[in-house]
Amino acid sequence: MRSRQSILEIFSTFLQFESDSATRWVSDARLRRSMQRCLEESDEQDLSEMVWSLYWHRLWQADSHPLAVAHLSAYLQEVCFWSARKLALNIGSSQSLADFFQIAIVKIHRVLQGFNPQHSSGLKRYASLAFSNVIKDTLRLRQEVDICTDWALMHKLSHKRFVESLQNFGLDASAIAERVFAWQCFKIIYAPAQGKGLRKLAKPDLSTLQAIVDLYNRDRVATLGATAQPCNPALLEQWLTTCGKAARSYLYPSLISADTPQPGAENTEMLDNFESTFQESNLNQIIEAEEEDQRKQTRSQLNATLLKALVKLDLPAQRLLQMYYGKGMTQQEIAKELDTKQYTVSRRLTNLKQTLLQILAEWSQTTLHQTLNSNVVSNMSTILEEWLKLHYSHPDLPS
């Protein structure tokens, strides 16, 4: 796979896979016209790809326009490829490199939502870790989905995901309400008695189905209203079977390429649905010098905070971080080098990162006045991991 050179190509071309190999770059005509127009209208002709990525990211934040997403998706093709390739080589899986790539790239919105220019050294560095996490999370979820029967899967789902799976399946509000209540009755009557065998939960027998139906019919009017129709075991089984398939399809969706021809329009691809009326804002109004200075100042403060924290660590801790992030040694290799156990190395690394993450969180609260929640902490954890890799791989460069 050759590297792309020009800004025009970087923001308007996509990888094409053949036989699980990335063979060539394919240009999207609409993105090419859009990028060409931006380059012609720009006052500065030598802006870097990082500046253009911030430009498109800012536009995406403003209105989530699909054309901005498409430009950023094109920009991150190489990053996504190398993240997918690394995991495909290191993880034993039936999934191919192309599968890993598509699993990651379809989550582009998740990557863009997590990226904060003030906290990161660039979108590409952040996306490299984010794409890797997306693939790992998807594989863990798919493993759980593969292990569980449809009946067990329904028991494990939260109410929110269960409803989303039925909406994704195309059911209307009335049908969803009936099936949600049937699912609640199913969990009350059947699942709690199964204990440790929950993952292999089998289809309820006839007597259990009848007990679920009795509970449903008893409370249906109070729950669904006077127009709710009675249920029977055959109908209940049909409902629950459909719900199980809907849940599996929702959690483990089929992957469809963005350049797949649309049904009934073989010459039209998904990317062709992007509106052609997109109006680019003036670049200088989006990425102003004052904001760029603020980002640099924030990154400098973050860098100083983490460097100060590293200096305070004892020598064994600093050596451990150097071996793991600087030399790229595995936990097993470090354990052998230090004549200790792998789980001891893992525990020490976890404790060190938790210490640094706490310092980063305190800095974020006092300096940026940022309210901490699970999403913010997750984002900071990714930033910390990125910073440590950059710092120990290139200790003489600013992180």
Side-chain angles (χ1 to χ4, degrees), residues 3-12 32 39 49:
S3 297
R4 297 175 291 181
Q5 302 300 320
S6 69
I7 293 296
L8 183 61
E9 188 181 23
I10 287 171
F11 286 92
S12 64
R32 187 177 181 85
L39 290 169
E49 64 179 67

Side-chain angles (χ1 to χ4, degrees), residues 260-262 264-270 272:
T260 300
Q262 298 187 77
E266 282 67 24
N267 295 324
T268 304
E269 300 175 355
M270 284 185 176
D272 293 331

Side-chain angles (χ1 to χ4, degrees), residues 5-197:
Q5 302 300 320
S6 69
I7 293 296
L8 183 61
E9 188 181 23
I10 287 171
F11 286 92
S12 64
T13 58
F14 296 85
L15 277 173
Q16 183 176 73
F17 284 83
E18 293 180 8
S19 301
D20 205 34
S21 297
T23 56
R24 66 192 183 99
W25 292 103
V26 179
S27 177
D28 180 87
R30 185 163 297 174
L31 294 185
R32 187 177 181 85
R33 289 194 299 270
S34 169
M35 197 66 214
Q36 183 68 56
R37 189 162 57 248
C38 287
L39 290 169
E40 292 172 353
E41 294 175 355
S42 174
D43 295 332
E44 301 179 54
Q45 299 300 317
D46 296 325
L47 293 174
S48 68
E49 64 179 67
M50 179 178 290
V51 173
W52 281 111
S53 70
L54 292 174
Y55 165 69
W56 288 115
H57 186 261
R58 185 67 59 84
L59 288 178
W60 171 81
Q61 283 184 316
D63 61 5
S64 297
H65 197 285
L67 198 57
V69 177
H71 278 300
L72 291 170
S73 180
Y75 172 62
L76 294 174
Q77 291 284 294
E78 281 128 331
V79 173
C80 187
F81 172 82
W82 291 115
S83 295
R85 186 175 184 272
K86 181 178 180 180
L87 289 176
L89 292 174
N90 294 335
I91 296 178
S93 172
S94 60
Q95 303 291 326
S96 66
L97 167 59
D99 290 334
F100 279 12
F101 178 87
Q102 194 168 14
I103 286 170
I105 204 66
V106 297
K107 297 292 186 181
I108 184 72
H109 284 85
R110 173 174 163 183
V111 175
L112 298 180
Q113 287 170 351
F115 174 64
N116 187 331
Q118 294 184 347
H119 295 172
S120 182
S121 55
L123 179 56
K124 275 191 172 181
R125 290 189 181 278
Y126 175 82
S128 178
L129 287 171
F131 280 137
S132 179
N133 290 337
V134 164
I135 296 172
K136 291 176 183 177
D137 290 345
T138 302
L139 291 180
R140 281 193 290 268
L141 177 60
R142 289 186 174 184
Q143 183 180 29
E144 183 68 16
V145 171
D146 288 340
I147 291 174
C148 292
T149 65
D150 285 354
W151 304 96
L153 200 58
M154 283 190 289
H155 179 66
K156 286 177 171 290
L157 279 182
S158 66
H159 183 276
K160 180 177 180 291
R161 283 203 166 185
F162 186 75
V163 172
E164 287 174 347
S165 69
L166 297 182
Q167 291 171 337
N168 184 68
F169 200 67
L171 299 181
D172 59 32
S174 176
I176 290 175
E178 290 176 336
R179 285 153 181 78
V180 167
F181 183 47
W183 168 68
Q184 291 170 336
C185 295
F186 158 77
K187 293 205 299 179
I188 291 172
I189 297 297
Y190 184 47
Q194 300 305 309
K196 295 182 179 179

Side-chain angles (χ1 to χ4, degrees), residues 319-320 323-324 329-346 348-349:
R319 183 189 179 194
L320 179 59
M323 295 170 74
Y324 187 72
M329 297 173 65
T330 66
Q331 293 183 8
Q332 290 83 355
E333 291 170 339
I334 295 174
K336 184 177 181 180
E337 177 77 14
L338 300 179
D339 192 23
T340 187
K341 302 294 184 182
Q342 183 270 333
Y343 61 80
T344 301
V345 174
S346 177
R348 287 178 181 174
L349 283 171

